Amino acid sequence: AVKRARREAVGEDTAGKRDSKLASMFPEIAAKVSTEEGMRALEQGSRHHDLAKQAIDEVYDRKDAVLLAKDQMATKMESIAEVPCKVWSCKVCKYKGSKPPECVNKSLGHPITTSQGTKRFFECSMCKNRDSSVTPTPTFDCGRCGARSWRRSTMAKQRDAPAPGAALLVRGEETGNCHGMSIGWSGARPPPRDLSA
């Protein structure tokens, strides 16, 4: 920064030096560009501008297709409340679920049976934790809060869209603290401290 300031003070032109360096490296190109025909060609632009624009549009279309497929899948998952599945059960461990019991991996010799059943999706009323069960109502406690108050839900959590006419906040809601520290800064410069004391 200091060298640049000195050059500007002396009056040296850095852009002129760069152009002359490129001209010395590629004299044929510099000679063609400096003519009127070369200047017109630079102003006219590329003959293949439409192809470049088409390639960029194709990239955006592919990205839009991926986002649209994700949105359609999320919408479909929001409407599914139960799915057919394979049910594993072990009478010794008193296990019944959509995944194989742990006694299968330990090879304890427990009699394991499989059948076709229905997996249902539930949400904890207390903490909104989500889980699934092959029984009509879950027989286990919530893994997060320990409560056993389940209500039926869908495979995916319902997305909450902002109400029409509601203000859309780009950064989210402003809070008065950050990680437990109170933020009272208004954006103005703090008052000067009294150094005489």
Side-chain angles (χ1 to χ4, degrees):
V2 175
K3 289 182 181 179
R4 187 183 317 136
R6 269 193 228 138
R7 274 192 240 123
E8 288 173 2
V10 173
E12 293 181 9
D13 183 19
T14 56
K17 277 189 171 181
R18 186 176 59 229
D19 291 343
S20 64
K21 187 174 182 180
L22 286 172
S24 66
M25 290 172 65
F26 306 104
E28 306 87 31
I29 296 173
K32 288 180 183 177
V33 170
S34 61
T35 63
E36 284 184 30
E37 184 180 338
M39 294 305 282
R40 266 190 273 121
L42 281 176
E43 289 173 5
Q44 182 182 4
S46 173
R47 279 188 242 162
H48 306 291
H49 175 71
D50 57 335
L51 295 175
K53 186 178 182 319
Q54 182 181 2
I56 290 169
D57 289 345
E58 287 175 4
V59 168
Y60 280 123
D61 288 343
R62 280 194 302 258
K63 288 183 179 180
D64 285 345
V66 168
L67 291 174
L68 183 64
K70 284 183 180 180
D71 189 45
Q72 287 173 345
M73 180 61 75
T75 305
K76 183 178 179 181
M77 288 174 66
E78 286 175 4
S79 65
I80 296 174
E82 52 187 45
V83 292
C85 70
K86 187 175 186 179
V87 177
W88 299 75
S89 57
C90 174
K91 292 188 178 185
V92 177
C93 299
K94 296 181 181 150
Y95 172 83
K96 185 175 183 181
S98 60
K99 297 177 184 174
E102 293 180 13
C103 61
V104 170
N105 298 336
K106 296 177 183 176
S107 62
L108 299 174
H110 292 184
I112 308 246
T113 58
T114 59
S115 61
Q116 286 297 317
T118 305
K119 182 195 281 190
R120 296 168 185 87
F121 301 97
F122 297 91
E123 181 180 60
C124 178
S125 312
M126 302 296 185
C127 66
K128 309 294 186 230
N129 185 31
R130 305 175 62 76
D131 213 330
S132 62
S133 175
V134 293
T135 56
T137 56
T139 57
F140 49 86
D141 297 335
C142 176
R144 187 182 296 165
C145 68
R148 196 182 276 192
S149 66
W150 297 100
R151 71 169 170 244
R152 290 293 298 268
S153 182
T154 57
M155 184 183 278
K157 187 176 181 180
Q158 296 286 331
R159 294 177 287 179
D160 295 331
L168 182 61
L169 302 173
V170 177
R171 299 186 318 171
E173 290 188 29
E174 297 289 334
T175 59
N177 59 32
C178 178
H179 303 295
M181 296 172 39
S182 178
I183 299 175
W185 186 59
S186 64
R189 203 177 244 191
R193 293 192 317 199
D194 187 17
L195 300 175
S196 61

